[in-house]
Amino acid sequence: QVQLVESGGGSVQAGGSLTLSCEILGTTFTRYCMGWFRRVGGKEREGVARIEKDARTFYVDSVQGRFTISHDNAKNTLSLQMSDLKPEDSGMYYCQEILCSSWYSAFNNWDKGTQVFVSS
């Protein structure tokens, strides 16, 4: 059974940085592609960054140039480096297996996520 465990969230001031980590247990990256999602308040969970099997990365416009997604094959972990954080980046962040070439999650087994709060 696949388990995804997020960590690294916290509280920072606007302009600060955080790096989120996702430990991937019970699977290897090659099964699906991977992505980071966030939920802000009561809104729908949205994809913010994803990485394809060939390591190409994609971002939503709001985080382009500020966030970097990467995968460590040796450790089988997914990371999200976030810089120049803005208050609107605040939310609960989740990692998830996704269907390649899309923002669609492959499964509906979401972990508890990791909270990011950016103060102005």
Side-chain angles (χ1 to χ4, degrees):
Q1 183 174 352
V2 177
Q3 186 177 6
L4 306 171
V5 182
E6 303 93 348
S7 63
S11 296
V12 295
Q13 290 187 328
S17 301
L18 282 173
T19 297
L20 307 184
S21 294
C22 173
E23 188 175 9
I24 306 167
L25 305 172
T27 187
T28 59
F29 179 61
T30 54
R31 192 174 80 156
Y32 289 98
C33 295
M34 295 293 299
W36 281 98
F37 293 75
R38 71 183 174 196
R39 172 173 281 167
V40 179
K43 296 181 180 180
E44 289 288 321
R45 190 182 286 116
E46 64 167 350
V48 296
R50 60 185 175 93
I51 185 167
E52 298 288 326
K53 293 181 181 181
D54 60 4
R56 287 180 300 147
T57 56
F58 299 87
Y59 305 90
V60 293
D61 289 345
S62 61
V63 308
Q64 181 74 48
R66 301 187 297 118
F67 289 15
T68 302
I69 186 173
S70 61
H71 179 259
D72 185 322
N73 292 323
K75 296 180 180 179
N76 203 24
T77 58
L78 185 73
S79 296
L80 184 67
Q81 294 176 279
M82 307 185 295
S83 62
D84 191 22
L85 283 162
K86 303 176 180 181
E88 52 264 41
D89 294 319
S90 298
M92 190 69 79
Y93 283 72
Y94 307 85
C95 62
Q96 182 58 276
E97 295 179 275
I98 60 171
L99 301 179
C100 296
S101 301
S102 82
W103 290 100
Y104 294 107
S105 61
F107 301 95
N108 199 33
N109 58 332
W110 299 90
D111 190 55
K112 58 178 172 57
T114 187
Q115 182 74 51
V116 172
F117 178 73
V118 184
S119 60
S120 58

